[in-house]
Amino acid sequence: MSSTESAQPRRTALDAVHRSLGATMTDFAGWDMPLRYGSERDEHLAVRTRAGLFDLSHMGEITVTGAGAAAFLNHALVGDIASVGVGRARYTMICRADGGILDDLIVYRLAGTEYMVVANASNAQVVLDALTERSAGFDAEVRDDRDAYALIAVQGPESPGILKSLTDADLDGLKYYAGLPGTVAGVPALIARTGYTGEDGFELFVQPGHAVELWQALSKAGEGAGLVPCGLSCRDTLRLEAGMPLYGHELTTSLTPFDAGLGRVVKFGKEGDFVGREALAEAAARAERNPPRVLVGLVAEGRRVPRAGYPVVAGGAVIGEVTSGAPSPTLGRPIAMAYVDAAHAAPGTPGVGVDIRGSHEPYEVVALPFYKRQK
């Protein structure tokens, strides 16, 4: 393979479908992915009020099996994975020895000694390499299953009804952060009640060869409910409104989970040692003594949109930095997440602004999330 060929972005099993729908494609983490099909605002609002269909096949699935799988994952990750019941999932992180976040993950327990770790597309190889290295000495096998799965998500208030029309699986009994094997439109799938939009919804792990068939069946089943195909652009504004962190923005190797306000995912009480324990214990103590910058929401008083890296200011001094920013279709105003000094983190703190190309634009500090769905 020439260097030119190897540099070509990978295509998901649904690539031809996206192009036939007129999607604007973009290179994301080495994958050619749909950015939008039409109006990203319309796609966003469809997920909030009806339903949206996403191709997430760029995510990285890693299977861990063996008698020592639970003990190994407890060692490799910061969460207590051994306590996850079969059929349940847990949000967790993998950290470096110095406590820096390598990635945030969802781990599904598929069977007694079988787990699926789902990594972000941009970090899938890093996570695979770290898990493989950390598995030494454990009775556990780490398997790269990125090519074994396509991942399709249906998200939004109409998604349960749409999916119910295509499966006999017990969706009513399927809790948030749980998954069960089933058949959807005749296609074998792992049906997970997870998502990254702030809405109720499902993620369907299937063989790549079944992806087009399943996408078309979901599209047809959702016609009457207002289901629309959705790209990565509205996925980003949806997760931003829901206050959900994005790796590379709110989470990086320079931050520990305690710096990110997510210290709750670190379980010091679990059995055995784990990678980063000592550094994370120090980070926890440091956060108690001297609170780190706090992740807050910012809502614009004007119309200018803040972007990642823009300084947050107060009283002529820089007090933080924007990590994510975009126009909010739900609020009708620009919003941002930012890490700010603890002294300026309380909702309603006066005098806070964002330096947008030399102009200090006024912003209101608010608690996250910006949007929370009605149960």
Side-chain angles (χ1 to χ4, degrees), residues 218-273:
L218 287 163
S219 297
K220 187 168 176 53
E223 280 174 359
L227 175 89
V228 300
C230 294
L232 292 180
S233 186
C234 86
R235 180 170 151 89
D236 190 48
T237 52
L238 288 160
R239 71 91 195 167
L240 176 55
E241 287 185 352
M244 294 177 167
L246 175 64
Y247 195 87
H249 290 255
E250 288 73 41
L251 308 174
T252 68
T253 51
S254 65
L255 295 172
T256 72
F258 295 94
D259 298 319
L262 291 165
R264 65 180 181 276
V265 305
V266 181
K267 303 300 182 187
F268 292 113
K270 64 180 177 177
E271 276 189 40
D273 196 12

Side-chain angles (χ1 to χ4, degrees), residues 307-332:
R307 298 297 180 193
Y310 284 9
V312 181
V313 293
V318 174
I319 58 152
E321 185 176 295
V322 171
T323 54
S324 297
S328 164
T330 304
L331 275 63

Side-chain angles (χ1 to χ4, degrees), residues 128-152:
L128 177 67
D129 292 345
L131 289 176
T132 302
E133 183 183 328
R134 295 175 188 186
S135 67
F138 287 92
D139 182 8
E141 180 195 348
V142 176
R143 188 172 72 234
D144 180 1
D145 268 351
R146 285 176 287 179
D147 292 335
Y149 291 102
L151 178 56
I152 296 173

Side-chain angles (χ1 to χ4, degrees), residues 2-352:
S2 72
S3 59
T4 310
E5 288 173 322
S6 63
Q8 292 294 319
R10 299 180 66 186
R11 296 185 172 191
T12 76
L14 291 160
D15 184 76
V17 173
H18 302 318
R19 292 172 196 279
S20 73
L21 292 168
T24 299
M25 306 296 286
T26 189
D27 184 343
F28 182 80
W31 290 83
D32 214 9
M33 298 297 293
L35 189 63
R36 71 182 72 82
Y37 298 85
S39 156
E40 53 204 49
R41 181 179 180 277
D42 289 349
E43 292 172 24
H44 179 111
L45 294 174
V47 176
R48 286 276 177 261
T49 59
R50 303 185 304 279
L53 192 58
F54 296 83
D55 178 10
L56 306 179
S57 302
H58 59 315
M59 300 295 280
E61 296 88 3
I62 301 162
T63 302
V64 177
T65 56
F72 156 61
L73 288 170
N74 264 13
H75 165 74
L77 310 180
V78 301
D80 185 359
I81 308 305
S83 67
V84 178
V86 174
R88 299 307 302 264
R90 182 156 297 165
Y91 176 79
T92 188
M93 293 182 184
I94 182 168
C95 290
R96 302 191 306 193
D98 67 0
I101 302 166
L102 281 174
D103 201 13
D104 61 335
L105 313 164
I106 295 180
V107 180
Y108 297 86
R109 188 170 195 171
L110 304 180
T113 59
E114 183 181 4
Y115 296 81
M116 181 168 67
V117 177
V118 181
N120 286 295
S122 55
N123 295 330
Q125 190 63 49
V126 168
V127 173
L128 177 67
D129 292 345
L131 289 176
T132 302
E133 183 183 328
R134 295 175 188 186
S135 67
F138 287 92
D139 182 8
E141 180 195 348
V142 176
R143 188 172 72 234
D144 180 1
D145 268 351
R146 285 176 287 179
D147 292 335
Y149 291 102
L151 178 56
I152 296 173
V154 55
Q155 299 278 303
E158 297 291 339
S159 57
I162 293 167
L163 199 56
K164 276 181 189 176
S165 71
L166 296 173
T167 183
D168 292 333
D170 178 18
L171 299 186
D172 290 336
L174 187 63
K175 295 183 171 70
Y176 187 50
Y177 265 70
L180 82 171
T183 303
V184 182
V187 170
L190 171 66
I191 305 167
R193 199 162 210 152
T194 45
Y196 195 50
T197 62
E199 298 297 338
D200 192 9
F202 303 87
E203 295 183 323
L204 308 171
F205 296 84
V206 300
Q207 291 179 16
H210 291 147
V212 171
E213 176 188 352
L214 180 57
W215 179 280
Q216 290 172 342
L218 287 163
S219 297
K220 187 168 176 53
E223 280 174 359
L227 175 89
V228 300
C230 294
L232 292 180
S233 186
C234 86
R235 180 170 151 89
D236 190 48
T237 52
L238 288 160
R239 71 91 195 167
L240 176 55
E241 287 185 352
M244 294 177 167
L246 175 64
Y247 195 87
H249 290 255
E250 288 73 41
L251 308 174
T252 68
T253 51
S254 65
L255 295 172
T256 72
F258 295 94
D259 298 319
L262 291 165
R264 65 180 181 276
V265 305
V266 181
K267 303 300 182 187
F268 292 113
K270 64 180 177 177
E271 276 189 40
D273 196 12
F274 62 91
V275 177
R277 175 194 274 275
E278 194 174 320
L280 289 168
E282 289 173 8
R286 195 165 57 243
E288 282 288 322
R289 289 193 310 270
N290 182 23
R293 283 184 164 175
V294 179
L295 189 65
V296 301
L298 299 174
V299 178
E301 292 182 18
R303 309 302 302 173
R304 297 188 71 186
V305 178
R307 298 297 180 193
Y310 284 9
V312 181
V313 293
V318 174
I319 58 152
E321 185 176 295
V322 171
T323 54
S324 297
S328 164
T330 304
L331 275 63
R333 294 157 76 186
I335 60 172
M337 287 199 282
Y339 283 111
V340 302
D341 293 343
H344 295 86
T349 299
V352 173

